[in-house]
Amino acid sequence: EEVMAKESLEEIEKRYDRLIIEGGTSRIERDGIDHKGEHVFLETYSRASSIDGNWIIIGVTRNITRRKQTEKTAQKLHRMYSSLSETNAASLRAVSVESLYHSVCDAAIKGGKFAVAAIFAIDNTHHLRPVAYAGEHQPGLLEVSIPIARDHSKSTGLIGTAFHTQSPCISNDFLTDERTSSWHKLGQEGGVASAAAFPLLCIDKSVAVLLFYSFDVGIFDAELVELLQSMADNVSFALENFSNEQQRVEAERILRENEERFRS
């Protein structure tokens, strides 16, 4: 495979001279485009040998593209596991639903994979609107309003579908996806290439949607979707805890009021 070398002729000569003088071997990595137009990584080991008083450089090159891809995937998953762990911690620290939402978005962005993390929740007009967000969002994101009525055209996108089906809704090519056609203009302005929406549940009822945007196409593979689903599950669990606590407080209030009426 032919890959354009990034070393200049002068740099190559200096490296070869150093091999002749110091001995040993040198190792370099380079990346480029092969004859098929694919991005590849190559690793070259070189050493100098003297044959009949003449120095020659012997080099062995191998394709390490698969190894590099594996390393990149491992790094990505490590960052996302860290984000998942931070989400767990945020769920335990949160003192309100609002603080929980903001902490989760911040934790997701720290994973370094997404341009935007946002949470859409139902407002008093029965629309899903952003209530928490983090990342490189466009101003238009804050104006998004999605009716929860199933028959509305804007409710058939990723967010509306995730909300109604209570299942993740993934688009690895946002701008060509028919489901997101109502949002292509906004997505193009914001550089959105792929997106994923995860419903947040409270007592088996959808109450919000956790949304991720990326500037890269095709990032939501099976492993990443599984991690993000775990993140959404953690948030849903925390929402149920808040709901249970509110119900407990309300029950105590009603009990006190009944006791006071009984005494009177």
Side-chain angles (χ1 to χ4, degrees):
E1 298 181 41
E2 296 181 2
V3 179
M4 294 296 294
K6 293 185 177 181
E7 284 184 294
S8 66
L9 180 60
E10 182 180 359
E11 290 172 332
I12 293 174
E13 289 177 348
K14 287 182 179 179
R15 183 162 60 86
Y16 286 177
D17 288 342
R18 188 166 59 253
L19 284 173
I20 292 171
I21 295 171
E22 299 177 0
T25 61
S26 70
R27 173 188 171 277
I28 60 171
E29 288 185 9
R30 65 181 188 273
D31 66 294
I33 306 300
D34 66 8
H35 66 283
K36 297 179 181 178
E38 297 178 350
H39 192 195
V40 297
F41 293 87
L42 300 180
E43 178 184 65
T44 300
Y45 284 92
S46 303
R47 66 180 178 85
S49 296
S50 177
I51 300 178
D52 296 330
N54 296 314
W55 286 98
I56 64 171
I57 304 298
I58 301 173
V60 177
T61 299
R62 62 174 180 169
N63 190 322
I64 58 171
T65 305
R66 181 174 296 181
R67 189 186 80 191
K68 283 290 186 180
Q69 291 172 341
T70 301
E71 291 174 353
K72 184 177 180 180
T73 299
Q75 291 171 357
K76 176 189 73 175
L77 292 177
H78 174 73
R79 289 194 298 268
M80 289 312 303
Y81 274 118
S82 296
S83 294
L84 179 59
S85 176
E86 189 161 337
T87 302
N88 290 337
S91 299
L92 295 174
R93 293 194 306 265
V95 296
S96 66
V97 172
E98 291 75 15
S99 66
L100 171 67
Y101 284 167
H102 286 289
S103 296
V104 167
C105 291
D106 289 339
I109 288 298
K110 287 180 181 178
K113 193 64 181 175
F114 311 115
V116 172
I119 291 179
F120 286 71
I122 304 174
D123 66 5
N124 53 12
T125 66
H126 300 289
H127 284 68
L128 288 163
R129 297 181 188 272
V131 294
Y133 47 85
E136 304 176 41
H137 66 83
Q138 294 292 318
L141 173 66
L142 307 182
E143 301 170 4
V144 170
S145 176
I146 301 170
I148 61 174
R150 288 178 178 268
D151 58 349
H152 198 287
S153 61
K154 288 189 175 181
S155 69
T156 60
L158 303 186
I159 297 174
T161 301
F163 181 86
H164 288 299
T165 63
Q166 296 188 355
S167 298
C169 196
I170 314 298
S171 176
N172 272 312
D173 195 351
F174 187 87
L175 296 180
T176 63
D177 194 327
E178 292 184 0
R179 298 171 299 172
T180 62
S181 58
S182 298
W183 311 103
H184 283 176
K185 182 179 179 182
L186 182 61
Q188 192 168 22
E189 292 173 353
V192 178
S194 56
F198 295 81
L200 300 179
L201 311 180
C202 182
I203 315 176
D204 298 326
K205 180 181 179 182
S206 294
V207 295
V209 175
L210 177 57
L211 178 72
F212 301 95
Y213 282 155
S214 172
F215 295 150
D216 300 317
V217 173
I219 72 160
F220 294 100
D221 56 24
E223 288 179 307
L224 184 56
V225 169
E226 184 177 353
L227 279 173
L228 296 178
Q229 182 61 64
S230 296
M231 185 179 292
D233 290 342
N234 290 340
V235 179
S236 295
F237 181 75
L239 290 175
E240 290 195 4
N241 286 341
F242 278 120
S243 177
N244 292 337
E245 178 63 16
Q246 290 173 351
Q247 291 178 9
R248 185 189 65 78
V249 171
E250 180 65 12
E252 289 182 350
R253 183 188 66 79
I254 293 173
L255 180 60
R256 285 195 301 270
E257 290 179 354
N258 289 339
E259 289 176 344
E260 289 173 2
R261 283 197 295 269
F262 178 75
R263 293 191 190 99
S264 65

